[in-house]
């Protein structure tokens, strides 16, 4: 945020250490069975968890509808929820579709050589792009987000998702569901800006040289059908809820976790590299080396002060 005055003042707009400022701590969009919402409610309580949203519940939750999408963008900018979670449909992206798959890594939006694209493919692409845009808004205004998908997925080859993952502070990790009590591997990916969710990254111990356990196979003519696979393992949902709760209970005394360099630091942004990361986040990196930069504390806020040399 840049304020007019004798000098430009760039402040961290994250409220990750001020949870009371949010009406809700968690909201699940494209919720499906809402297993994740239910798990979070059990841990942090129903009062601070927004009702789950999915178009199968109500047309007012259908992100493919323009007015719904515009409302969700405004909602994101209004910042009423700390952590927004999304799960855009993966049915048209998963390779378990085998002969019915019309996408590829080279043609993530659909391969024209695979024939006329099915409506499900077109809708899936539109939804994926809109979810990426909403996640970008959450990140830009300073709030938390997470977005789940099957892995590997052509969705990450969309330009909108490439741009999102390339933003400072955004990262991704995968997990295998056999590590959360399921009999199948079903690898999934989470794109997020929440470092506290990284504890969910758990890989199957199987290697080409050593098999620790066997997996049921998923897909046409295999052990189980894709329709029989849960969106999330129940243990994964509980682990997600615990990670969120642990952070909410101790988010940091005066600073969000992105601005902390050491817990005991009186002015955490004095290190040049930490300042550079903040400059990148607000698009100052191109001019950073030609400016005089200092850190000041004003009204209990840590500010990056940038002046022309």
């Amino acid at each position: 945020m840049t304020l007019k005055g004798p000098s430009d003042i760039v402040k961290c707009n994250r409220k990750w250490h001020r949870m009371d400022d949010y009406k809700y701590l968690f909201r699940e969009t494209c919720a499906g069975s809402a297993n994740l919402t239910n798990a979070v409610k059990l841990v942090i309580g129903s009062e601070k968890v927004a009702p789950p949203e999915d178009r199968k519940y109500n047309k007012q939750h259908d992100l493919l509808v323009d007015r719904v999408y515009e409302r969700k963008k405004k909602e994101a900018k209004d910042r009423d929820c700390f952590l927004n979670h999304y799960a855009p449909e993966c049915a048209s992206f998963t390779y378990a579709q085998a002969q019915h798959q019309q996408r590829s890594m080279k043609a993530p939006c659909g391969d024209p050589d695979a024939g006329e694209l099915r409506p499900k493919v077109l809708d899936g692409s539109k939804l994926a792009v809109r979810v990426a845009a909403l996640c970008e808004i959450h990140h830009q205004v300073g709030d938390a987000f997470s977005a789940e998908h099957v892995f590997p997925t052509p969705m990450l080859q969309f330009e909108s998702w490439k741009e999102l993952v390339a933003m400072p502070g955004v990262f991704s990790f995968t997990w295998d569901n056999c590590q959360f009590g399921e009999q199948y591997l079903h690898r999934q990916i989470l794109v997020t800006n929440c470092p506290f969710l990284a504890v969910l990254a758990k890989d199957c111990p199987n290697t080409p040289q050593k098999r620790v356990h066997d997996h049921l196979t998923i897909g046409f003519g295999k052990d189980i059908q894709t329709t029989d696979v849960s969106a999330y393992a129940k243990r994964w949902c509980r682990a997600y809820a615990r990670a969120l709760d642990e952070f909410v209970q101790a988010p940091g005394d005066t600073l969000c976790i992105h601005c902390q360099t050491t817990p005991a630091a009186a002015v955490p942004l004095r290190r040049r590299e930490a300042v550079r990361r903040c400059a990148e986040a607000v698009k100052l990196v191109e001019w950073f080396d030609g400016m005089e930069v200092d850190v000041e504390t004003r009204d209990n806020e840590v500010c990056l002060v940038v002046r022309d040399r």
Side-chain angles (χ1 to χ4, degrees), residues 116-239:
E116 183 178 355
L117 297 180
R118 302 191 305 275
K120 195 168 189 176
V121 173
L122 298 174
D123 287 348
S125 296
K126 184 177 180 179
L127 180 61
V129 170
R130 290 188 167 185
V131 166
L134 290 170
C135 291
E136 185 170 337
I137 292 173
H138 293 307
H139 188 58
Q140 288 178 333
V141 301
D143 294 333
F145 78 87
S146 61
E148 173 274 339
H149 217 245
V150 66
F151 188 84
T153 173
M155 185 184 76
L156 294 183
Q157 302 305 310
F158 284 26
E159 288 303 316
S160 55
W161 283 89
K162 287 182 180 180
E163 292 172 7
L164 176 64
V165 175
M167 295 181 72
V170 177
F171 66 101
S172 63
F173 61 82
T174 61
W175 74 92
D176 296 328
N177 279 276
C178 61
Q179 298 306 290
F180 291 95
E182 302 297 338
Q183 292 182 290
Y184 44 76
L185 181 70
H186 186 42
R187 183 165 294 168
Q188 292 169 263
I189 187 168
L190 197 75
V191 177
T192 184
N193 62 353
C194 302
F196 58 85
L197 291 178
V199 296
L200 301 174
K202 294 183 181 295
D203 295 331
C204 175
N206 284 356
T207 67
Q209 293 75 32
K210 182 179 180 181
R211 180 176 295 275
V212 178
H213 57 239
D214 294 322
H215 299 129
L216 296 179
T217 56
I218 304 171
F220 293 103
K222 298 186 178 178
D223 296 326
I224 52 177
Q225 301 299 304
T226 54
T227 53
D228 298 323
V229 177
S230 299
Y232 307 117
K234 290 182 178 179
R235 289 186 190 176
W236 186 88
C237 292
R238 292 197 291 267

Side-chain angles (χ1 to χ4, degrees), residues 4-307:
K4 292 183 179 179
S7 63
D8 290 333
I9 301 175
V10 181
K11 300 200 308 182
C12 176
N13 60 349
R14 300 184 184 96
K15 300 189 292 184
W16 292 36
H17 55 296
R18 290 155 41 193
M19 294 297 159
D20 289 341
D21 288 0
Y22 292 102
K23 179 179 179 180
Y24 299 113
L25 294 177
F26 178 79
R27 175 185 287 116
E28 185 180 12
T29 303
C30 307
S33 62
N35 286 339
L36 184 56
T37 294
N38 294 332
V40 174
K41 282 182 178 180
L42 288 174
V43 175
I44 68 174
S46 300
E47 183 179 325
K48 299 293 281 185
V49 177
E53 299 182 4
D54 194 286
R55 61 181 177 178
K56 75 177 186 179
Y57 307 156
N58 193 310
K59 291 291 185 181
Q60 295 301 315
H61 298 158
D62 190 352
L63 287 176
L64 296 176
V65 177
D66 291 345
R67 71 174 183 278
V68 175
Y69 177 53
E70 292 301 319
R71 173 173 55 79
K72 291 296 289 184
K73 287 195 293 184
K74 181 180 183 303
E75 184 180 88
K77 294 172 185 177
D78 288 342
R79 308 187 66 181
D80 71 329
C81 182
F82 167 59
L83 171 53
N84 282 272
H85 177 77
Y86 298 87
E89 70 85 18
C90 62
S92 69
F93 289 88
T94 176
Y95 286 104
Q97 288 285 326
Q99 69 269 29
H100 299 289
Q101 177 59 267
Q102 290 188 296
R103 302 182 192 273
S104 67
M105 291 298 181
K106 292 183 178 180
C109 294
D111 187 350
D113 293 335
E116 183 178 355
L117 297 180
R118 302 191 305 275
K120 195 168 189 176
V121 173
L122 298 174
D123 287 348
S125 296
K126 184 177 180 179
L127 180 61
V129 170
R130 290 188 167 185
V131 166
L134 290 170
C135 291
E136 185 170 337
I137 292 173
H138 293 307
H139 188 58
Q140 288 178 333
V141 301
D143 294 333
F145 78 87
S146 61
E148 173 274 339
H149 217 245
V150 66
F151 188 84
T153 173
M155 185 184 76
L156 294 183
Q157 302 305 310
F158 284 26
E159 288 303 316
S160 55
W161 283 89
K162 287 182 180 180
E163 292 172 7
L164 176 64
V165 175
M167 295 181 72
V170 177
F171 66 101
S172 63
F173 61 82
T174 61
W175 74 92
D176 296 328
N177 279 276
C178 61
Q179 298 306 290
F180 291 95
E182 302 297 338
Q183 292 182 290
Y184 44 76
L185 181 70
H186 186 42
R187 183 165 294 168
Q188 292 169 263
I189 187 168
L190 197 75
V191 177
T192 184
N193 62 353
C194 302
F196 58 85
L197 291 178
V199 296
L200 301 174
K202 294 183 181 295
D203 295 331
C204 175
N206 284 356
T207 67
Q209 293 75 32
K210 182 179 180 181
R211 180 176 295 275
V212 178
H213 57 239
D214 294 322
H215 299 129
L216 296 179
T217 56
I218 304 171
F220 293 103
K222 298 186 178 178
D223 296 326
I224 52 177
Q225 301 299 304
T226 54
T227 53
D228 298 323
V229 177
S230 299
Y232 307 117
K234 290 182 178 179
R235 289 186 190 176
W236 186 88
C237 292
R238 292 197 291 267
Y240 184 110
R242 286 195 301 269
L244 172 58
D245 182 56
E246 288 175 6
F247 178 75
V248 167
Q249 295 302 321
D253 294 334
T254 58
L255 297 166
C256 80
I257 57 174
H258 290 280
C259 291
Q260 295 183 47
T261 53
T262 59
V267 185
L269 297 182
R270 286 203 180 279
R271 289 183 6 185
R272 181 179 177 86
E273 189 55 36
V275 174
R276 180 180 290 276
R277 287 198 295 270
C278 286
E280 288 177 344
V282 294
K283 310 300 184 184
L284 285 176
V285 68
E286 299 92 333
W287 306 284
F288 181 87
D289 290 324
M291 291 181 166
E292 179 182 341
V293 179
D294 198 5
V295 176
E296 298 179 8
T297 301
R298 302 181 181 183
D299 298 325
N300 294 321
E301 295 282 354
V302 177
C303 305
L304 174 67
V305 182
V306 185
R307 305 181 183 89

